[in-house]
Amino acid sequence: MALFLGLGIAGLVLLALALVFDGFLEGVLGGAAEGAFGGLVSLPAIAGFVSMLGFCAAAVQGATGLGTTAAVLSGVVAGVVTAWLVVRLSRLLMRDQTDPVLRSDDLVGAAGSVVTPIPAGGYGEVMLHLTGQPVKYAARSAEPVPRGAEVWVAEVLSTTSVEVRPVER
């Protein structure tokens, strides 16, 4: 049982090393590890396999009293399942895409409302809804715009200010 517990602990240490030296093995092997076995040879997958092999085999041997062969077989099955889950989860997380970065051109045409009245030729504030989030900008307009009026962005003046025009209905 000590050997199995040692394997489990070694797998946890290997996992910690995989987290600390993320991508190191892939860099040293030059991508050869990723090409072999369809990406199954990753440090976290190996660590998961070794840990589950050791801990599951120790649990089966200690709890059931079955022999070493049955404990190793159950540990191998648990290790393979764990390695497969690690690979699947890693691929899922790598496919997770973030929203594109908002550019100043994306503001032109955006609708919003005035939160601080805009005097003619002066600055006030508008609340725009960009990618589902409210964002406040300093705003200027050629004509006065009262608080609560609906506006749209005609031009981006800087990263924090826009020129707006009232929505005419």
Side-chain angles (χ1 to χ4, degrees), residues 102 106-108 110-111 128-137 153:
L102 190 64
D106 297 333
L107 289 173
V108 176
L128 304 175
H129 291 280
L130 305 169
T131 63
Q133 299 294 321
V135 182
K136 192 187 296 186
Y137 280 90
V153 177

Side-chain angles (χ1 to χ4, degrees), residues 14-15 17-47 86-87 90-91 94:
L14 188 60
L15 181 61
L17 290 174
L19 294 174
V20 171
F21 298 110
D22 183 34
F24 179 73
L25 179 64
E26 288 82 6
V28 168
L29 297 178
E34 208 165 300
F37 308 111
L40 289 176
V41 183
S42 70
L43 217 44
I46 293 170
V86 167
V87 169
S90 296
R91 288 182 184 166
M94 291 300 203

Side-chain angles (χ1 to χ4, degrees), residues 40 45 78-92:
L40 289 176
V80 167
V81 169
T82 301
W84 179 79
L85 287 172
V86 167
V87 169
R88 296 290 296 177
L89 182 61
S90 296
R91 288 182 184 166
L92 178 71

Side-chain angles (χ1 to χ4, degrees), residues 45-65:
I46 293 170
F49 174 80
V50 171
S51 285
M52 285 306 291
L53 168 68
F55 289 135
C56 185
V60 166
Q61 190 176 37
T64 64

Side-chain angles (χ1 to χ4, degrees), residues 86-105:
V86 167
V87 169
R88 296 290 296 177
L89 182 61
S90 296
R91 288 182 184 166
L92 178 71
L93 291 174
M94 291 300 203
R95 275 194 309 249
D96 187 27
Q97 299 295 320
T98 59
D99 291 334
V101 176
L102 190 64
R103 296 175 296 144
S104 60
D105 294 344

